[in-house]
Amino acid sequence: MEYSYTIIDPDAVSNLQLSTFLAEYGDFNCSGISETPDDGLNLILKFSPDIVFVNLDHDAQLIFQKIIELHQYITELPLIIGISKTKNHAYDAIKNGFFDYWLQPFNEFDVRKSILKLKRKVPKEKEPQTICLKSYNDFHYLNTEDILYLQADNNTTEFFMKDGSVANAYKTLKTFEKQLPKNFVRIHQSYIVNTDYVSRINFGKSICSLKKVDKKLPFSKSYKEKVNQLKQTLSKNSISSLN
C-alpha cells in the first residue's frame, strides 16, 4: 500500500522540498498539488488522498473554512498536516483536528518522526490475494497476482491471466474498479491494468505495453492523469537514464 498525499501551497520551492523528503521513504505518492484552497478541496474530493499538507501562511482562515466544508462531502477526512514559518496558526490547527504542524524551514528529523508516527496511525493493509467471480452456484477464485488486465465486453468483464487463460464475470468493469488491490489502475473506459505487469508507457501513441505477453493496451485522455501517476510510481522505483 502507498500513502497518497496532496499539497495545498503556492510556494513551488516548499513543494519541491517536501516532495523530496517524502520520496526518500518510497511509499508516498503525490496525487496533486494546488496553489489555492478551492483547487485543493477539489483535489481532495477527486483523489481521496491519505494525507493533505497545507501551507497556513497563505489564506489560513479560508483553509480552515474549506476543511470544515469537507465534512459535508466525505465521512472520513484525510490526515491534515499544517505547514508554516511561525507558530501563529498552531492553536487553530489543533482545534480543527490537524494531525501535525511543521515549521519551515523543514527539519528532517521532525519530518521523519511525524512520518513514523503517521505510519503507526495508518498501518499498511494487506491487500486481498484473491477475487471471487460468482455466477449462480459457480464460484471462481482468481489470484490477483496472476491477472494481467481486465477488459469490458458490454455488460460483462473478461479477466486475462498470465497463463493465457480468460475468465468471465457477468458484471461491469466499474464493479471491479474499487474491489481490486491498488496496483490495478483503470486506464481506459474498457481496460483496467495490473501495473505490476506494465513494461512500457508510450504517451505519443497512448499505449501501455505489458510483460509476459505481446499486448499493448490503449489509454484514453480521460484517464491520462492516472497514467501519469503510474509513470511517476514506476519511475520512482527505477534506475533512470534520463538527463
Side-chain angles (χ1 to χ4, degrees), residues 61-164:
Q61 293 309 312
L62 181 58
I63 288 171
F64 292 134
Q65 178 184 329
K66 293 299 178 183
I67 289 169
I68 294 172
E69 188 179 337
L70 275 174
H71 289 277
Q72 301 178 30
Y73 311 117
I74 54 180
T75 55
E76 186 174 351
L77 266 61
L79 299 181
I80 302 172
I81 296 178
I83 298 169
S84 176
K85 294 179 180 178
T86 71
K87 297 181 180 180
N88 295 345
H89 308 291
Y91 178 70
D92 286 331
I94 292 171
K95 282 203 308 181
N96 282 275
F98 278 40
F99 176 74
D100 213 334
Y101 192 92
W102 293 355
L103 288 174
Q104 293 177 312
F106 297 120
N107 180 295
E108 185 176 355
F109 181 51
D110 289 338
V111 171
R112 193 178 305 279
K113 288 189 295 183
S114 288
I115 288 176
L116 291 174
K117 185 170 65 172
L118 182 151
K119 287 185 174 183
R120 288 189 63 183
K121 184 176 179 65
V122 189
K124 291 188 177 183
E125 298 175 357
K126 187 176 180 181
E127 300 283 10
Q129 298 299 307
T130 60
I131 186 167
C132 179
L133 309 183
K134 295 179 286 188
S135 177
Y136 298 101
N137 291 321
D138 182 24
F139 298 84
H140 190 177
Y141 297 93
L142 302 179
N143 189 328
T144 57
E145 294 178 354
D146 296 333
I147 301 170
L148 294 175
Y149 65 96
L150 291 70
Q151 181 174 348
D153 184 12
N154 294 321
N155 290 322
T156 65
T157 299
E158 295 179 318
F159 289 73
F160 289 81
M161 313 299 291
K162 69 178 183 180
D163 65 1

